[in-house]
Amino acid sequence: MKPYIPYCGDFCSVLLSNLLKKKSEGFQKEKVLPEEYEFVHQALFTDPDDQSGWFYHLWLLDQTVKVDSPLLVSSWPANGSDLVLSGDRHLGDSASSLLTSFHSDSRTFPLILYFNQAVHGVNSSTVTVDYEFNTSKDLIWEPISINNSQTAQVWVTKLSYPNVELHALKEYQVEVSLGHDWGIVSSSGFHYSHPSCYTFKVCQKLAETDPTEELGGEIISWRDENFCIYKTDSQESSPSVSLDQLSIKSDNDLSASEWRVAAIANEIDHFRELLSLINCKIGKLTLARLLMAHDGMMHSSGDKVAHFEEVLELYSDLMKLDPSHIRYYKEEHSLVSMQQVTSSQESLLRHCFHYEDLNCSHIGNPICLRLNNLSLSRIGSFEKLLWVRMLDLSHNDLSSIEGLEAMQLLSCLNLSSNKLGSFTALEPLRLLKSLRVLNISYNEIGAHSN
């Protein structure tokens, strides 16, 4: 669903045209945008009901926070991780190892790159993978796109590993680098211009398992009694690792980041003041957007400041004040909830559970991320969920699962008791090649057909 955008009048059009003209002449955002904010403040505080000013402010906010060049924000395996490989279906009784382990009968494992925007040009020339058992030239990169486009936010290739009996317990380092060639380009025409390099280690482990076991024929039971809360000691790494550190920042990048943070912080102060004077729907919406933009920039710089509760309350208020746009507010509320869940190891682990049905042998004792009963109408934060193999999204309000195709390791998925209305809504599942167990019962598929 497209974001709710207020009506734009002639006033907004003139300002937009003027600013775009300046941009074409090479103007500097850090000098021009703060001045534009001051001009629009005068209009907003003079006549808060004039929606032209609000629309222009929304455009200014977008220009302030967006990064033109594509960036690598996440991957699997993650930067600095130690991946345990097995050619068998089990890795023994260690449930906690499932966060950094992978098994495959084909003796391959995926390498997943997640960018901040859709890109094309990811190939063996633009991404170098240094690994003893593969060369970059051997690798075929595949875009994960539901419309079969060669432009995608997520790209995947397969790495091979040898016979486990010959190489058990030996570690191998994998180095991935990109940005040395400008061949990776965003859909808007900007080049990947931040050379990046990250590494992870892989080792192989022998496992005791019955080689005659076959996958299939078993049913996952999603009842609460089959799950127990995941427990970890302080020595274990987080199941999701952000790759923000991959960007190589120059002094100019740091300066640009500082002016953006300062501009957004100043806007937050202005809108808090405005809302202390009037109860304004579009003011609440703007403040919510500003707070999330500020948190996003602070998080990328290592600061853990967050305004999740305040933003969630703002969207809850908007649902009551403006019921005609309740669907949009619910989706935004859901996206903020997802960001809150994935914002830290502590909050994420509250939703991680062991699956303990001993009658289900083919998945061992995996970790399940349970995001059920959260009233989610939209899902997001996929860059932090690439590691997930078992996911419970049941008893929510989902009518779309757009973006789920990024979770290439998913093997078990529960979508029951949602509001999925057609098989078209399930299209992302077609790209999940590891998916073996799926529950879509109690949805609305076919309910609206003639």
Side-chain angles (χ1 to χ4, degrees):
M1 181 181 180
K2 293 183 178 180
Y4 165 54
I5 298 177
Y7 169 74
C8 176
D10 293 336
F11 166 75
C12 177
S13 300
V14 172
L15 289 176
L16 280 174
S17 299
N18 187 38
L19 189 54
L20 286 170
K21 182 179 179 181
K22 291 179 182 179
K23 185 173 183 179
S24 66
E25 296 170 357
F27 85 108
Q28 294 180 309
K29 285 184 177 181
E30 61 268 30
K31 294 182 179 179
V32 175
L33 293 186
E35 295 176 358
E36 296 295 327
Y37 276 121
E38 290 302 320
F39 289 139
V40 81
H41 290 162
Q42 297 176 25
L44 295 179
F45 280 72
T46 301
D47 185 6
D49 294 327
D50 183 353
Q51 295 188 357
S52 300
W54 293 105
F55 181 83
Y56 185 50
H57 188 276
L58 174 60
W59 187 85
L60 286 174
L61 174 59
D62 182 60
Q63 295 302 307
T64 304
V65 301
K66 77 175 183 180
V67 178
D68 292 331
S69 299
L71 296 171
L72 180 67
V73 294
S74 184
S75 76
W76 192 91
N79 183 34
S81 62
D82 295 319
L83 180 66
V84 180
L85 301 173
S86 171
D88 298 305
R89 292 189 180 88
H90 297 289
L91 287 169
D93 297 327
S94 177
S96 61
S97 69
L98 269 295
L99 296 179
T100 52
S101 64
F102 186 81
H103 60 79
S104 170
D105 294 330
S106 63
R107 298 200 182 283
T108 62
F109 66 94
L111 175 59
I112 307 169
L113 301 181
Y114 192 105
F115 295 88
N116 66 333
Q117 56 187 294
V119 299
H120 62 84
V122 176
N123 53 50
S124 58
S125 298
T126 56
V127 179
T128 301
V129 180
D130 186 7
Y131 177 43
E132 183 169 336
F133 301 105
N134 290 101
T135 64
S136 293
K137 293 182 179 179
D138 297 330
L139 302 179
I140 299 175
W141 288 92
E142 176 186 0
I144 304 301
S145 170
I146 60 175
N147 58 6
N148 297 317
S149 171
Q150 289 302 304
T151 300
Q153 195 168 0
V154 183
W155 287 76
V156 180
T157 191
K158 295 281 189 180
L159 298 184
S160 302
Y161 59 96
N163 190 307
V164 64
E165 295 181 0
L166 300 178
H167 298 269
L169 303 180
K170 185 176 180 180
E171 284 190 343
Y172 301 91
Q173 180 167 290
V174 181
E175 181 178 284
V176 182
S177 59
L178 60 162
H180 53 276
D181 184 298
W182 275 31
I184 299 176
V185 185
S186 71
S187 55
S188 54
F190 291 94
H191 293 269
Y192 190 101
S193 56
H194 296 266
S196 307
C197 180
Y198 73 96
T199 62
F200 58 91
K201 294 179 181 179
V202 297
C203 69
Q204 299 186 80
K205 181 178 180 180
L206 288 169
E208 296 181 3
T209 184
D210 183 358
T212 63
E213 287 183 354
E214 295 185 0
L215 182 63
E218 296 177 281
I219 299 175
I220 298 291
S221 173
W222 299 93
R223 295 194 302 267
D224 289 343
E225 56 264 32
N226 290 322
F227 295 90
C228 70
I229 192 70
Y230 177 80
K231 295 180 180 180
T232 180
D233 57 44
S234 60
Q235 301 300 314
E236 187 170 347
S237 62
S238 171
S240 63
V241 181
S242 173
L243 297 184
D244 294 328
Q245 70 268 25
L246 290 183
S247 297
I248 301 176
K249 298 182 179 180
S250 66
D251 293 337
N252 289 335
D253 295 326
L254 182 60
S255 174
S257 177
E258 289 174 349
W259 81 259
R260 286 187 169 95
V261 172
I264 296 302
N266 187 53
E267 291 305 294
I268 290 173
D269 291 339
H270 278 291
F271 280 90
R272 288 196 193 282
E273 179 185 354
L274 178 63
L275 291 174
S276 69
L277 301 174
I278 59 172
N279 188 20
C280 175
K281 291 183 294 185
I282 190 65
K284 288 178 179 287
L285 178 59
T286 302
L287 179 58
R289 289 168 170 163
L290 286 166
L291 289 170
M292 292 309 298
H294 181 268
D295 288 355
M297 289 187 292
M298 296 302 290
H299 179 77
S300 65
S301 65
D303 197 304
K304 299 298 183 181
V305 174
H307 297 88
F308 294 121
E309 293 300 334
E310 182 178 358
V311 175
L312 291 172
E313 184 177 352
L314 285 168
Y315 280 120
S316 295
D317 290 345
L318 286 166
M319 291 181 210
K320 301 172 185 176
L321 293 171
D322 188 13
S324 62
H325 297 99
I326 190 171
R327 181 179 175 184
Y328 171 71
Y329 298 136
K330 286 188 66 176
E331 289 185 354
E332 293 300 304
H333 188 282
S334 298
L335 291 177
V336 176
S337 295
M338 289 288 296
Q339 290 184 53
Q340 184 178 38
V341 167
T342 60
S343 62
S344 68
Q345 177 177 345
E346 181 182 3
S347 60
L348 187 60
L349 290 180
R350 285 198 289 267
H351 295 270
C352 292
F353 291 77
H354 291 298
Y355 181 72
E356 293 194 320
D357 187 348
L358 299 180
N359 294 318
C360 188
S361 58
H362 72 266
I363 60 170
N365 191 10
I367 306 303
C368 179
L369 181 64
R370 304 197 75 192
L371 302 177
N372 55 320
N373 290 298
L374 296 181
S375 300
L376 298 176
S377 59
R378 188 175 174 185
I379 47 180
S381 299
F382 296 108
E383 71 278 8
K384 298 180 181 180
L385 302 177
L386 301 181
W387 57 274
V388 177
R389 286 150 219 192
M390 190 174 190
L391 177 63
D392 187 356
L393 288 169
S394 64
H395 298 278
N396 282 299
D397 298 320
L398 297 173
S399 58
S400 169
I401 53 172
E402 179 183 358
L404 197 67
E405 65 273 11
M407 301 175 66
Q408 287 289 295
L409 301 188
L410 265 185
S411 61
C412 302
L413 175 62
N414 186 7
L415 291 170
S416 65
S417 301
N418 275 283
K419 296 182 178 179
L420 299 169
S422 68
F423 286 108
T424 303
L426 301 176
E427 189 69 13
L429 302 182
R430 180 175 57 85
L431 300 175
L432 297 178
K433 297 179 181 179
S434 297
L435 191 62
R436 298 292 181 269
V437 177
L438 173 65
N439 186 352
I440 55 172
S441 60
Y442 300 103
N443 273 275
E444 299 176 1
I445 296 176
H448 304 294
S449 61
N450 293 326

